[in-house]
Amino acid sequence: MAGMSKPKQKDHSGQGRDVSDIFGTVDFPLKRHVSPHGRLTAVSMMKDEGPYLLEWVAHHLSLGFTDLVVYTNDCSDGTDDMLIRLEELGLAHHRRNDIPDGVKPQPSALKYAQEEPIVRNSDWVLVFDADEFLCIKYGNRTLDDMIGAAQEVGANGIVITWRIFGSSGVQHWSRAPVTEQYLNAAPPLWNKGWGVKTLFKFDPEYWRLGIHRPKIKNKHLESEFPHSVRWLNGSGRWMEDYFKFRGWRSIVRTVGYDWAQMNHYAIKSMDSYAIRKLRGNVNNKKDKYNADYWSLQDRNETVDDAAMGHSARRREIMDLLLTDEVLAKLHHKAVTDIENRLEAFKKTAAYDQLVSSLREASNVPITQVIAKPPQQRDTQKIAAQMSSIEQKLAQAPKKKREYRSEPSISASANPYVTGNIDLSDGAPVATFVNNQIKLPADPRVFGAVALQAIMDGKFERNHARRLPGLIKPKDRYLEVGAGIGFLAARLSCLFPDMTIVAQEERYPLVVTAARIWNDNDIAQSAKRKLLKTPLFHPNDGQHVSSGLTTLITQTDCTILYINDPRLTAEMIDTALHSQKNALPQRIIIGARALGGLCDQTTCAERLMALGFAPLEERPLDAALTMFRQDKQT
């Protein structure tokens, strides 16, 4: 490719001139992994991580990293000595982070890593911290499998989003593994937890290492090199082009956890937090360990045990590491010293005050969490820094730049819990206002994505905002597969004189819809109905051919909104052909239906054959919106 030099031949042996004189000088049963993808290197920075180090090392060796390069500064608990011993065993590389005056530890370490022969000879690199554990879900849960899948589609990087793990309500110190002790995390769609780390194919000629993602060197921004950068998100879907040049967080269109996630255990237990507060952190941030930081990181809304898939191999490796007497002695000393120091601290009033403040911070609802606001964007500066390639991408027609969001990210596609919904437990749930409608954040009813949308006030937000624009005087609205009846409730408040019928066959959703209508003072009447009319036989699941036909006929609807995922384009077409009344003026096939059995292309073709045309101007997101050409709309 023009403007690109031929990559230098890389040493994959781990025994070349790039390793230190002590690397692999002690014979040990566990050998360095040899990957078909070359050298897979983890780069990290640590300070006093002695009690946790062996778990971190064992975990990431179990994933298939061939090299662990760790920079340490100001260690007082033997972390550096443990890494030196691991280097002697041929399992890690320890480097000193000698920090120049006025430079922060992490940038200092990355500058060294940029010139480190181990890193420069690496094929794939991932930069991450000691409190972060890579969790792979793809294939056999190894780097080799996941990188192989990425390369099969022509990708050379994977952008991995954080999952923020809280304390799980644990106060006291424990020697139990971090990845097994803390299994509660923030909801996947909580955007304050969307920082990323990037696993990418490395060439030091083109890339400069970064904490969250590498940066293309300035001299190559105007070359053809950016065109060769093809990164996937954590679900194996293509990242947007802008991320080649800037950004360190996922956005709603790019977040994904199906392939991998970066488990971030920033606080662990209250006692662990107290220890960190006592000894400081690798980047010397004085205000890092306060109550606001705790409330931000102590998120326990969902259970996430994906890392347990790595436990068996990690445990096997850690047990093997502890057979080395030198390493075992250093590890046990680090643990004992911390426990002794913690025991002394727990006898003070300062410890009681800290625990009290943390308990109070734990009670801060996720919707009220304070996070440091991002730096205000300087649009002129960004424009000046944009490469000509990115400018061309930004100037392309919108449809060419459009990135189709994942089905897992769209709350409207499948907002409800699949399988049985049990409403017998009457535990109270918090309610949140969504477009003036109070909705319950009920985990018995809603999936994790929809729960987060409700708490953010964004449940089916686009449809709730734009559907009213399709309403005309004297309209009659029928929604089939209305779920919890949210859109019908919204229209009831906006158009009190309009006839609105919401049908839902799934009984727990009908019950929930009735409660929501009641909570929002929407009374059922001749013009306001919640129906549980069946469209399918309850015993064999076969479609009742007359069900949809009868609903359309009886309501004589002018607007038909179909969102039942079981209905096909053929079923809808049959019901419309059977109408004795005039056909509806507008038909909307919602995201739940299109995500089910209703093929969008087939449905559009059949509706057009009946005289409908697509709504071109501001159609509803993730829905097929059609209107009758021979009717005033």
Side-chain angles (χ1 to χ4, degrees), residues 552-627:
I552 298 173
T553 301
Q554 289 180 345
T555 58
D556 193 21
C557 60
T558 56
I559 298 181
L560 172 61
Y561 194 125
I562 294 179
N563 224 357
D564 191 315
R566 301 168 300 171
L567 291 173
T568 66
E570 291 76 13
M571 294 175 186
I572 297 169
D573 185 53
T574 298
L576 292 173
H577 270 99
S578 301
Q579 286 306 303
K580 296 179 181 179
N581 299 338
L583 290 175
Q585 296 176 14
R586 275 137 285 157
I587 295 180
I588 302 163
I589 312 297
R592 285 177 66 209
L594 294 177
L597 299 179
C598 184
D599 179 73
Q600 181 167 346
T601 301
T602 303
C603 192
E605 289 174 350
R606 297 202 172 206
L607 289 176
M608 285 190 285
L610 287 169
F612 290 87
L615 181 65
E616 298 292 345
E617 185 177 352
R618 292 182 62 79
L620 294 176
D621 292 345
L624 176 65
T625 309
M626 309 287 285
F627 67 96

Side-chain angles (χ1 to χ4, degrees), residues 372-385:
K372 184 178 180 181
Q375 186 175 354
Q376 185 68 32
R377 296 182 67 188
D378 186 332
T379 54
Q380 292 183 344
K381 183 178 179 180
I382 290 174
Q385 290 179 339

Side-chain angles (χ1 to χ4, degrees), residues 44-238:
S44 191
M45 311 91 188
M46 298 187 185
K47 174 183 176 180
D48 288 351
E49 294 289 345
Y52 309 107
L53 176 63
L54 288 193
E55 182 188 354
W56 188 91
V57 168
H59 177 90
H60 291 102
L61 289 178
S62 77
L63 301 185
F65 279 101
T66 64
D67 295 88
L68 309 176
V69 180
V70 181
Y71 290 83
T72 64
N73 58 280
D74 303 326
C75 289
S76 62
D77 71 343
T79 297
D80 45 3
D81 295 328
M82 294 171 71
L83 286 163
I84 290 170
R85 183 58 178 177
L86 286 164
E87 191 164 18
E88 292 174 340
L89 299 179
L91 299 173
H93 309 273
H94 172 255
R95 299 293 183 264
R96 299 284 181 187
N97 186 11
D98 296 321
I99 306 168
D101 291 340
V103 179
K104 292 183 178 180
Q106 283 185 326
S108 171
L110 289 179
K111 187 174 181 180
Y112 288 128
Q114 186 74 30
E115 302 302 322
E116 165 60 42
I118 295 290
V119 180
R120 293 179 69 84
N121 279 326
S122 296
D123 294 273
W124 290 74
V125 171
L126 178 64
V127 177
F128 58 113
D129 297 333
D131 59 2
E132 297 171 338
F133 287 70
L134 176 61
C135 177
I136 299 175
K137 305 176 187 178
Y138 181 86
N140 66 5
R141 295 176 172 267
T142 66
L143 283 167
D144 287 349
D145 231 27
M146 185 170 71
I147 289 174
Q151 290 185 322
E152 281 184 8
V153 297
N156 45 32
I158 303 173
V159 180
I160 303 166
T161 305
W162 276 339
R163 282 302 303 274
I164 301 297
F165 281 75
S167 68
S168 293
V170 178
Q171 175 183 341
H172 298 293
W173 165 264
S174 170
R175 295 188 180 189
V178 169
T179 52
E180 295 181 10
Q181 189 175 176
Y182 307 103
L183 300 178
N184 291 81
L189 267 292
W190 187 54
N191 60 9
K192 289 184 176 64
W194 281 354
V196 304
K197 295 300 170 85
T198 307
L199 172 68
F200 70 107
K201 198 163 182 60
F202 182 55
D203 187 332
E205 167 63 25
Y206 295 96
W207 289 109
R208 189 170 73 252
L209 297 174
I211 296 297
H212 296 278
R213 44 78 56 77
K215 295 182 179 179
I216 300 173
K217 290 184 176 180
N218 289 339
K219 63 181 179 180
H220 295 296
L221 284 174
E222 305 298 330
S223 73
E224 292 297 307
F225 177 72
H227 288 299
S228 71
V229 179
R230 306 190 73 215
W231 288 351
L232 303 174
N233 75 347
S235 286
R237 297 178 184 269
W238 294 111

Side-chain angles (χ1 to χ4, degrees), residues 386-401:
M386 284 175 66
S387 71
S388 60
I389 294 175
E390 189 182 11
Q391 289 173 355
K392 290 177 182 178
L393 289 170
Q395 293 167 2
K398 184 177 180 181
K399 288 186 178 180
K400 291 186 177 182
R401 292 186 282 117

Side-chain angles (χ1 to χ4, degrees), residues 177-462:
V178 169
T179 52
E180 295 181 10
Q181 189 175 176
Y182 307 103
L183 300 178
N184 291 81
L189 267 292
W190 187 54
N191 60 9
K192 289 184 176 64
W194 281 354
V196 304
K197 295 300 170 85
T198 307
L199 172 68
F200 70 107
K201 198 163 182 60
F202 182 55
D203 187 332
E205 167 63 25
Y206 295 96
W207 289 109
R208 189 170 73 252
L209 297 174
I211 296 297
H212 296 278
R213 44 78 56 77
K215 295 182 179 179
I216 300 173
K217 290 184 176 180
N218 289 339
K219 63 181 179 180
H220 295 296
L221 284 174
E222 305 298 330
S223 73
E224 292 297 307
F225 177 72
H227 288 299
S228 71
V229 179
R230 306 190 73 215
W231 288 351
L232 303 174
N233 75 347
S235 286
R237 297 178 184 269
W238 294 111
M239 287 294 293
E240 295 193 15
D241 284 311
Y242 81 88
F243 202 81
K244 298 178 182 181
F245 306 97
R246 66 181 189 275
W248 66 274
R249 291 166 52 82
S250 290
I251 58 176
V252 70
R253 299 191 304 273
T254 64
V255 68
Y257 298 106
D258 295 336
W259 281 24
Q261 62 190 38
M262 184 61 76
N263 288 11
H264 192 192
Y265 305 95
I267 56 172
K268 305 180 181 73
S269 66
M270 292 184 181
D271 282 357
S272 298
Y273 195 69
I275 292 169
R276 287 183 174 273
K277 188 175 178 67
L278 285 172
R279 58 87 163 157
N281 58 88
V282 70
N283 218 21
N284 295 338
K285 292 183 178 179
K286 296 180 180 180
D287 61 344
K288 184 172 183 178
Y289 297 110
N290 55 29
D292 284 346
Y293 186 79
W294 177 273
S295 64
L296 173 67
Q297 300 291 343
D298 190 28
R299 304 319 324 163
N300 304 285
E301 285 76 13
T302 60
V303 174
D304 188 326
D305 61 357
M308 295 293 287
H310 300 298
S311 292
R313 179 59 177 154
R314 185 261 306 150
R315 190 180 302 113
E316 179 184 344
I317 292 175
M318 188 164 178
D319 289 345
L320 191 56
L321 293 177
L322 289 172
T323 63
D324 179 72
E325 293 183 2
V326 176
L327 197 56
K329 183 178 180 180
L330 290 168
H331 170 72
H332 291 308
K333 183 180 185 302
V335 172
T336 301
D337 286 350
I338 275 296
E339 289 175 343
N340 291 338
R341 192 176 180 190
L342 181 60
E343 184 179 358
F345 181 51
K346 293 178 81 168
K347 295 177 182 178
T348 67
Y351 174 81
D352 294 335
Q353 292 172 359
L354 176 64
V355 170
S356 177
S357 68
L358 296 184
R359 289 194 185 283
E360 184 177 350
S362 292
N363 293 325
V364 175
I366 195 169
T367 55
Q368 298 177 20
V369 167
I370 297 174
K372 184 178 180 181
Q375 186 175 354
Q376 185 68 32
R377 296 182 67 188
D378 186 332
T379 54
Q380 292 183 344
K381 183 178 179 180
I382 290 174
Q385 290 179 339
M386 284 175 66
S387 71
S388 60
I389 294 175
E390 189 182 11
Q391 289 173 355
K392 290 177 182 178
L393 289 170
Q395 293 167 2
K398 184 177 180 181
K399 288 186 178 180
K400 291 186 177 182
R401 292 186 282 117
E402 205 168 19
Y403 183 95
R404 192 170 180 82
S405 63
E406 301 177 50
S408 61
I409 301 306
S410 175
S412 59
N414 185 24
Y416 307 115
V417 170
T418 57
N420 182 51
I421 295 178
D422 184 3
L423 298 178
S424 60
D425 179 9
V429 295
T431 60
F432 300 84
V433 176
N434 288 250
N435 278 282
Q436 299 180 319
I437 301 297
K438 291 182 287 186
L439 295 180
D442 193 337
R444 301 171 301 176
V445 176
F446 301 99
V449 174
L451 279 176
Q452 186 61 53
I454 289 172
M455 290 188 290
D456 290 340
K458 299 178 181 179
F459 184 77
E460 296 188 344
R461 179 174 64 172
N462 289 334

